[in-house]
Amino acid sequence: MKRNKLIEEIREMVVRFDEEGIKKVAYQVLEAGIDPLEVIKEGLQKGMDIMGKKYEKLEVYLPELMMAADTAYAALNILLPKISVEAAKTLKRGKVVIGTIFGDIHDIGKNIVATLLRISGYEVYDLGSDVDTKLFIETAIKENAEIIAISCLLSPSMYYMRDVVQRLKDMGIRDNHYVIIGGAAVYPEWTEEIGADGWAKDAEGAVELCKRLLEKGKEAEKPLIIGARR
């Protein structure tokens, strides 16, 4: 069946990093009248799931994961505009404000997380790197985002993560937003020390973390730790 063949090709091209090929197949999908939402879920997301499992098993590393994400996003840019408003609502899982904390300009890991979240159906507001603590909160309030995701690779900057949590408390809106953290400088225990809601060891784990927090809501065990350091 043509539908199944095209979706399978999309999935395989994500794994092979075939960015030009996946664009061609994405247009073929639209010409064939196949539901683009189905292609995103069954093709792109499942292709990234495969890469996530490979990454977990150390069969691929961050550069390969990023290449797969870039490939998937090339097709996503073609398919998303063709999704109906009602169908798009089923794809959106939640809103995430993400950035690298003040004093830290590293953003490769954060960019991977942001890309995987978008492909997984989240509306992502990427603030970039060296982000002031106030901006995380201001953006989360403005966009009504459920999750604030903070990355940090430099130890001196990790203390600003605590400021984000404390500001939310001081403003009386701590329960309005989940705060999740990650990056080379931070560790699971730091999550509890600063009163954050969760930590993930890698980009794939960050997506799972967001999913669990939004699915379980107030019933979610916090802090929620996804994975352990290798």
Side-chain angles (χ1 to χ4, degrees):
M1 186 176 179
K2 187 175 183 179
R3 168 194 161 281
N4 293 340
K5 183 175 182 296
L6 289 174
I7 291 177
E8 184 178 349
E9 284 184 20
I10 288 273
R11 192 162 51 240
E12 290 177 353
M13 285 176 175
V14 170
V15 177
R16 296 201 312 264
F17 324 128
D18 189 350
E19 195 165 331
E20 291 305 313
I22 205 169
K23 290 177 185 178
K24 294 178 182 178
V25 178
Y27 284 118
Q28 290 177 26
V29 162
L30 296 177
E31 290 172 4
I34 301 170
D35 182 4
L37 181 61
E38 184 179 6
V39 178
I40 291 172
K41 290 180 176 179
E42 297 298 318
L44 298 182
Q45 290 183 2
K46 288 195 174 179
M48 288 308 303
D49 285 344
I50 292 170
M51 289 303 295
K53 289 183 175 67
K54 286 178 176 289
Y55 180 68
E56 177 72 22
K57 296 175 182 177
L58 297 180
E59 294 175 3
V60 299
Y61 297 93
L62 277 179
E64 289 88 353
L65 191 63
M66 191 64 183
M67 288 168 64
D70 287 343
T71 302
Y73 212 71
L76 193 66
N77 285 333
I78 295 169
L79 299 171
L80 272 181
K82 302 302 180 181
I83 296 177
S84 68
V85 174
E86 289 304 311
K89 289 179 181 178
T90 68
L91 181 64
K92 294 299 181 185
R93 293 183 176 179
K95 297 181 180 181
V96 181
V97 172
I98 189 171
T100 304
I101 198 66
F102 181 74
D104 191 340
I105 61 172
H106 298 88
D107 63 1
I108 294 178
K110 181 268 299 175
N111 291 344
I112 294 174
V113 173
T115 301
L116 292 188
L117 284 170
R118 287 191 178 104
I119 291 170
S120 298
Y122 293 88
E123 192 170 336
V124 178
Y125 300 88
D126 190 344
L127 303 180
S129 58
D130 193 22
V131 181
D132 187 272
T133 55
K134 291 181 181 178
L135 186 56
F136 281 104
I137 298 172
E138 290 170 357
T139 307
I141 293 172
K142 178 184 176 183
E143 304 299 342
N144 195 29
E146 297 93 339
I147 298 172
I148 297 174
I150 311 173
S151 174
C152 182
L153 275 77
L154 299 178
S155 297
S157 293
M158 61 189 280
Y159 298 95
Y160 291 109
M161 292 176 155
R162 190 200 302 271
D163 292 347
V164 175
V165 177
Q166 189 59 51
R167 283 182 183 276
L168 289 170
K169 290 179 179 177
D170 293 343
M171 295 170 70
I173 57 172
R174 178 64 185 91
D175 291 339
N176 293 359
H177 310 279
Y178 294 113
V179 178
I180 63 174
I181 63 175
V186 297
Y187 43 88
E189 293 80 8
W190 183 243
T191 314
E192 187 168 6
E193 287 182 42
I194 68 173
D197 298 297
W199 173 93
K201 69 175 180 178
D202 52 34
E204 190 71 19
V207 176
E208 178 65 20
L209 177 57
C210 291
K211 177 184 176 183
R212 291 194 196 179
L213 285 172
L214 292 182
E215 283 181 350
K216 296 185 178 180
K218 294 185 182 298
E219 296 179 1
E221 179 184 348
K222 289 180 269 187
L224 184 56
I225 306 300
I226 303 294
R229 287 199 181 281
R230 296 190 175 103

